[in-house]
Amino acid sequence: MKKNLLILMVCLLACLGRSGWAQTGVSNGDFVVKGQVVDSLTLETVPYATLSIASASNPQKPLQLLACDIDGNFEASLKSAGKYILSMQSIGKHPAKKAFTLTRRKPVLDLGHLYMTDDTQQLGEVTVTAQKPLVKVEIDKLTYSLQDDPESQTNNTLDMLRKVPMITVDGNDEIQLKGSTDFKIYVNGKPSNMLNNNPSDVLKSMPASSIKDIEVITDPGAKYDAEGVGGIINIITTKNAFEGYTGTVRANASTLGRFGGGAYVSAKFGKFGITANYNYNYDNSPWSESSSIREDYATNSRNAGFLNQSGRSKRQGPFQFGYLEGSYEIDSLNLLTVGANLFRGKATNKTEYGVEMFDVIGGERIPSYSYDRHSRSTSIFGSTDVNVDFQHSTHKKDELLTFSYRFSQSPNDNESYTELLNVEDYYLADDYPQWNINDAATTEHTLQVDYTTPTWENQTLELGAKYIFRGSDSETQQQYYRDSLQNWETIYDANSDFRHNQHIYSLYAGYSMKFGKLGIKAGVRGEGTALSVKYALAPEMNFNTSYFNIVPNGTLSYQITQSQQVRLGYNMRIRRPGIRFLNPYVDDTDPLNISYGNPNLDSEKSHNIHFNYSLFNQKFNMNLSANYRFNNNSIEQYTWVNDQGVSETTYGNIGRTHSAGLFLYASYTPVQLLRIFMNGGMNYEDLSSEQTGMENSGVSGRIFAGMQFTFPKDFRVDLNGGYFSPRISLQGRRSAMYFTSISLNKSFFKKKLTVSLSCNNPFWKYIEMNSTTEDETFRMESFNNMRARDFRISVSYRFGSLKEAIKKVRRGIQNDDMMGGEGGGGQQI
């Protein structure tokens, strides 16, 4: 009996020992096999994949069972030479096998990368305990996966944009990419005029649950237009329209006067698929207090003066946006996609100010004139876009030929009414009330053809051609009420009827290749522009011009490990002024502070050099980037005070800009329930102008950080905060700003119903924003007290069932060649 027990214990220990060796991949065998399991498409590692090794003669009987480590690496020992079968399994992947042979001459075999593909088949209910990395780095861009961030189920897209590496959003909801407002925003790889005039407002109204990914393209290749100094933000909407249908309805409200709702639906029946999204919002912000002072220094043409303005303002009005897109699979090689986007907004700004002007004599302020100004200005903005894309693929994998057409029409109308009350000694009092109407718009027609094909292994060629006709026009009526006539008098000046036409044509070629860990992407784009400017009431002011630019780009990347990459790149970018910069309409809603565009603006060119390092694994993600940018004819906004004591603001190619920046994104998930992240950076700016003699320089920084707690039963708490140091411009600086937020989120009915409660800036009711503008003849300071504390509630409900994804054209028109109200590029510091 004792002998039998002893034999049994020895057998059990041997089995346990063998099992332990199999699990860890460590033994005293004479032969070793190793490798790394990666995703075949993304080349991301597959952590903790389950592996089984069996003899080729008896594949049903495993000799080794083991698991990869977090980076997909494995190593196993075998006792004899021979032919073997390695089987790989992982949740969400197709099972894969690899045959290999061990010999006495080669007892250690490195299989290198072993590839697994995604399994799109739906699984039953599964509890996932590992969090998928949110950031992926490629040779020319960085991708943040919104659909894998639980906050996206309740937040809007602007809030989520704060978490994307190299992007920051300040307390005024102004977006910056690498510290710059000079960038472009795309939707599904196409510029959307839905984001032209008010990108922050649109993104604030766009539910993040409708977004799949946000791509930060820091190295736009030759296929992109040469516009967008800081890069491109590409918003990829969800394409989860499957056989069957799915939809979401949502509603939201805010204590700061904003409310709205919307719906999303997507369906696929046979070869036809359709996706639709609509959102309506109404903004009725509370009155905010503001004031400004201006000191005018004595010059040869005017005496010293002091201007004081104080009062309040508010904004109200509706805006709505939506899109409708349909795809039809003609056959396995041909695909047609037709889409329409609509965005319309109507914003009314009301201001009530008291104005006092003083003459300064011997240091003493002597009243000159005063009045109360009441103004109402209504702007209509938005766009209508229609896209038609036909894609032809061949039996050669990834070879595509795409033909595209795009129509776009963007209104930018403004109507203002100003009256003066309690007037004392103001010399222009007889010109009021004023009623000004400006109808402005831009219309585009674009034709494009793109061809891409793989040449050799891991190498791709891209070729394309494009033509754009862009017409911008502005018609103005300036009307003054004449008491003597008891009627309105209309005045037309030389700029009252203005038209600006552009013909833009381009050809591009790009090539990308990968040799092991080294990636190279380079290209060149030739862009020609012919433009004409016509004044209907002053033909002598008409002019024509044309120019041609060669725009190169290049990127070099090196994959240090599967989780680390470095990248070095150079590109040249161009900014063309849009209608807001060109429009000669004089906005004199405030008669002492007027503004207008400059029809004679030229395009500006900038050169960009940047370096990027990224490290991503299951618990810690980091992206560090540095860049340097310079240009010699930058379009700058500038202000001066004329002989009548009126400040005039316009634009000119007057700047020389040198900018260096450092940016850091980091995310840490120590345990499954907690995620900590930060996103920020700093810039050194050196701005100067030979034409005006102005110069300014300094350092500005920004940081956004937060914590995310995910509790059982679909309950989540988010804590966020941010700080922006003062920012400089050519003529001054803007004060620092800061913000905080807390949100509580709970899902019900298997995550179909989601409710979110949030509070912005719970610790302070108001935030004061200051800005300074000056030159050698004046100094102006403005102060704005904004309502900061805001409570929000949002509710969304998802319905429907899905089976198969809709196909969409992979290439399309990308007009990113214009600034001035266009996504990002039109925002001003």
Side-chain angles (χ1 to χ4, degrees):
M1 182 70 178
K2 291 182 179 180
K3 183 177 179 181
N4 291 336
L5 283 174
L6 181 61
I7 294 173
L8 181 60
M9 290 177 64
V10 170
C11 291
L12 285 173
L13 288 172
C15 291
L16 289 173
R18 182 169 182 172
S19 175
W21 297 333
Q23 300 237 1
T24 61
V26 178
S27 80
N28 295 321
D30 299 323
F31 300 88
V32 176
V33 61
K34 58 185 178 180
Q36 186 178 44
V37 182
V38 299
D39 186 287
S40 63
L41 181 62
T42 66
L43 299 183
E44 292 180 335
T45 61
V46 181
Y48 309 121
T50 301
L51 308 182
S52 172
I53 301 176
S55 171
S57 60
N58 189 7
Q60 304 302 321
K61 183 179 180 181
L63 301 176
Q64 283 272 31
L65 293 173
L66 64 152
C68 299
D69 64 14
I70 191 172
D71 293 320
N73 296 305
F74 70 90
E75 182 175 316
S77 298
L78 297 166
K79 290 184 175 291
S80 61
K83 295 182 178 180
Y84 296 90
I85 299 292
L86 172 66
S87 300
M88 298 168 280
Q89 289 186 325
S90 181
I91 294 177
K93 304 288 184 185
H94 282 294
K97 293 185 178 182
K98 173 70 174 179
F100 65 92
T101 302
L102 294 174
T103 64
R104 289 287 179 184
R105 291 185 178 181
K106 196 172 183 180
V108 178
L109 178 62
D110 187 352
L111 297 176
H113 288 170
L114 300 175
Y115 298 102
M116 298 188 73
T117 60
D118 285 336
D119 184 1
T120 57
Q121 182 179 356
Q122 287 190 333
L123 302 175
E125 186 171 338
V126 176
T127 300
V128 180
T129 58
Q131 181 172 331
K132 184 178 177 181
L134 297 176
V135 183
K136 179 176 67 176
V137 175
E138 300 175 58
I139 188 172
D140 60 348
K141 65 185 178 184
L142 178 148
T143 303
Y144 188 93
S145 176
L146 254 66
Q147 67 178 359
D148 293 316
D149 190 326
E151 276 194 83
S152 67
Q153 299 305 309
T154 53
N155 282 359
N156 61 57
T157 302
L158 186 69
D159 288 336
M160 298 303 297
L161 211 62
R162 290 184 164 97
K163 303 173 68 174
V164 179
M166 293 182 280
I167 297 176
T168 50
V169 183
D170 66 19
N172 283 335
D173 294 334
E174 185 179 67
I175 305 166
Q176 298 177 48
L177 174 58
K178 297 191 299 184
S180 171
T181 56
D182 298 330
F183 59 89
K184 295 298 169 186
I185 300 180
Y186 284 6
V187 176
N188 295 326
K190 303 172 185 176
S192 172
N193 286 331
M194 184 171 64
L195 295 164
N196 274 359
N197 295 289
N198 292 274
S200 296
D201 285 339
V202 178
L203 295 175
K204 192 183 299 181
S205 305
M206 185 180 292
S209 58
S210 66
I211 308 300
K212 177 179 181 288
D213 296 315
I214 293 180
E215 298 177 343
V216 180
I217 305 173
T218 55
D219 299 278
K223 69 178 179 180
Y224 296 98
D225 292 326
E227 177 65 17
V229 172
I232 295 171
I233 300 173
N234 187 25
I235 298 173
I236 308 296
T237 58
T238 54
K239 300 178 182 178
N240 58 343
F242 295 72
E243 189 71 33
Y245 70 94
T246 182
T248 303
V249 292
R250 53 189 180 266
N252 63 85
S254 159
T255 57
L256 289 186
R258 177 188 291 261
F259 64 88
Y264 168 86
V265 64
S266 193
K268 185 174 188 294
F269 304 100
K271 293 185 176 183
F272 180 75
I274 189 170
T275 303
N277 187 35
Y278 175 77
N279 209 85
Y280 175 88
N281 283 269
Y282 189 87
D283 192 6
N284 187 16
S285 65
W287 289 94
S288 62
E289 305 293 327
S290 58
S291 63
S292 68
I293 58 174
R294 194 185 78 208
E295 296 181 71
D296 298 337
Y297 310 134
T299 65
N300 293 333
S301 57
R302 73 165 190 262
N303 297 322
F306 183 86
L307 174 64
N308 181 38
Q309 299 192 85
S310 61
R312 62 178 190 164
S313 63
K314 71 172 299 176
R315 176 181 175 180
Q316 61 186 147
F319 60 95
Q320 54 190 320
F321 70 88
Y323 63 83
L324 177 66
E325 185 175 67
S327 294
Y328 179 69
E329 300 173 39
I330 301 172
D331 52 42
S332 61
L333 299 179
N334 297 286
L335 178 65
L336 178 67
T337 298
V338 179
N341 293 276
L342 174 67
F343 173 51
R344 279 294 183 274
K346 183 178 182 180
T348 298
N349 292 287
K350 299 178 180 179
T351 58
E352 298 176 357
Y353 276 80
V355 179
E356 296 178 293
M357 174 62 87
F358 301 87
D359 292 325
V360 179
I361 301 175
E364 183 179 353
R365 297 176 185 173
I366 301 174
S368 175
Y369 58 81
S370 65
Y371 57 82
D372 293 329
R373 173 174 57 85
H374 290 188
S375 301
R376 184 180 68 251
S377 177
T378 299
S379 59
I380 297 176
F381 50 87
S383 70
T384 301
D385 303 327
V386 178
N387 297 280
V388 180
D389 301 294
F390 172 74
Q391 175 182 287
H392 172 71
S393 56
T394 70
H395 294 289
K396 184 179 180 181
K397 184 181 178 182
D398 294 329
E399 184 176 36
L400 296 173
L401 178 64
T402 307
F403 297 93
S404 303
Y405 167 76
R406 178 174 183 257
F407 167 80
S408 177
Q409 198 273 341
S410 304
N412 191 12
D413 301 336
N414 185 275
E415 181 177 347
S416 65
Y417 176 84
T418 302
E419 62 178 344
L420 306 185
L421 307 172
N422 304 318
V423 180
E424 293 187 13
D425 301 324
Y426 183 46
Y427 63 99
L428 292 179
D430 292 340
D431 288 341
Y432 290 86
Q434 280 191 19
W435 180 22
N436 296 335
I437 300 175
N438 176 241
D439 294 326
T442 296
T443 301
E444 289 182 354
H445 296 273
T446 305
L447 294 170
Q448 181 172 318
V449 59
D450 298 282
Y451 175 70
T452 179
T453 181
T455 51
W456 290 273
E457 184 178 0
N458 295 323
Q459 299 185 45
T460 302
L461 173 68
E462 296 178 326
L463 301 170
K466 186 175 186 178
Y467 167 75
I468 305 172
F469 169 75
R470 177 180 296 128
S472 301
D473 62 85
S474 169
E475 297 181 10
T476 302
Q477 294 183 33
Q478 294 178 300
Q479 302 178 83
Y480 304 89
Y481 190 78
R482 303 305 186 190
D483 285 332
S484 59
L485 302 174
Q486 294 292 298
N487 201 355
W488 291 93
E489 179 184 2
T490 302
I491 304 296
Y492 297 96
D493 60 23
N495 294 326
S496 294
D497 194 341
F498 159 82
R499 184 161 184 83
H500 183 280
N501 289 335
Q502 287 182 328
H503 299 269
I504 304 168
Y505 50 93
S506 58
L507 297 170
Y508 76 84
Y511 201 82
S512 61
M513 60 191 79
K514 189 170 184 181
F515 304 101
K517 296 183 176 182
L518 181 66
I520 301 173
K521 187 170 185 176
V524 64
R525 185 180 187 91
E527 285 192 355
T529 303
L531 64 86
S532 63
V533 177
K534 295 183 179 180
Y535 299 86
L537 303 181
E540 68 278 2
M541 297 173 60
N542 296 350
F543 66 91
N544 301 285
T545 188
S546 61
Y547 49 87
F548 186 82
N549 296 295
I550 298 294
V551 184
N553 71 86
T555 305
L556 182 68
S557 69
Y558 183 75
Q559 196 86 21
I560 302 173
T561 66
Q562 286 300 310
S563 60
Q564 296 183 81
Q565 184 200 63
V566 292
R567 189 168 75 237
L568 180 66
Y570 161 80
N571 60 59
M572 173 183 165
R573 310 302 291 164
I574 296 174
R575 290 205 307 169
R576 295 185 182 92
I579 184 62
R580 188 167 66 85
F581 286 75
L582 298 167
N583 193 350
Y585 164 65
V586 178
D587 184 354
D588 56 0
T589 305
D590 180 352
L592 296 179
N593 295 280
I594 66 174
S595 61
Y596 48 89
N598 179 3
N600 299 308
L601 288 175
D602 193 7
S603 63
E604 70 172 43
K605 307 177 186 68
S606 70
H607 301 269
N608 306 272
I609 303 170
H610 52 88
F611 172 81
N612 192 86
Y613 169 77
S614 58
L615 169 64
F616 299 106
N617 57 43
Q618 286 296 111
K619 288 192 174 184
F620 182 71
N621 296 339
M622 184 184 76
N623 189 84
L624 178 67
S625 64
N627 72 278
Y628 173 72
R629 172 173 61 92
F630 68 92
N631 57 33
N632 294 326
N633 70 330
S634 62
I635 297 173
E636 300 290 344
Q637 177 180 291
Y638 64 101
T639 301
W640 74 96
V641 177
N642 63 26
D643 295 344
Q644 287 74 43
V646 176
S647 73
E648 300 187 38
T649 299
T650 188
Y651 307 93
N653 294 98
I654 63 171
R656 292 172 56 91
T657 304
H658 295 263
S659 174
L662 185 67
F663 311 93
L664 174 65
Y665 165 84
S667 172
Y668 180 54
T669 309
V671 294
Q672 180 189 351
L673 299 180
L674 174 63
R675 178 171 171 262
I676 306 169
F677 67 91
M678 67 83 62
N679 192 23
M682 59 186 300
N683 286 75
Y684 174 77
E685 301 274 354
D686 186 357
L687 309 172
S688 62
S689 171
E690 292 183 359
Q691 293 89 331
T692 65
M694 295 181 291
E695 59 181 28
N696 201 358
S697 63
V699 176
S700 61
R702 64 215 65 88
I703 184 171
F704 176 72
M707 292 187 293
Q708 184 179 95
F709 300 91
T710 305
F711 298 105
K713 299 187 181 298
D714 300 321
F715 178 70
R716 195 179 73 253
V717 178
D718 299 296
L719 304 174
N720 299 311
Y723 173 79
F724 285 69
S725 68
R727 289 168 52 196
I728 69 165
S729 62
L730 182 62
Q731 282 186 268
R733 64 179 56 238
R734 194 169 69 183
S735 65
M737 62 179 64
Y738 44 86
F739 53 91
T740 59
S741 69
I742 179 172
S743 65
L744 310 176
N745 307 277
K746 180 73 172 72
S747 296
F748 305 89
F749 310 124
K750 295 184 179 180
K751 297 187 177 182
K752 288 190 174 182
L753 175 66
T754 302
V755 180
S756 173
L757 301 174
S758 63
C759 178
N760 289 340
N761 303 308
F763 306 112
W764 47 83
K765 188 175 181 180
Y766 294 94
I767 293 180
E768 183 178 88
M769 299 296 302
N770 305 330
S771 64
T772 302
T773 304
E774 61 183 329
D775 66 12
E776 60 183 8
T777 67
F778 79 98
R779 175 182 174 84
M780 180 164 56
E781 292 184 73
S782 62
F783 311 89
N784 186 16
N785 284 315
M786 302 187 307
R787 283 281 296 271
R789 187 178 298 143
D790 181 23
F791 294 91
R792 302 179 187 175
I793 181 171
S794 63
V795 180
S796 66
Y797 180 75
R798 176 176 55 85
F799 59 89
S801 59
L802 316 168
K803 292 181 182 178
E804 180 187 359
I806 286 178
K807 289 184 179 180
K808 293 187 179 182
V809 169
R810 292 162 60 181
R811 297 268 174 149
I813 287 175
Q814 302 162 338
N815 287 357
D816 57 344
D817 65 307
M818 187 173 63
M819 67 179 289
E822 295 67 28
Q827 302 180 68
Q828 294 304 302
I829 296 175

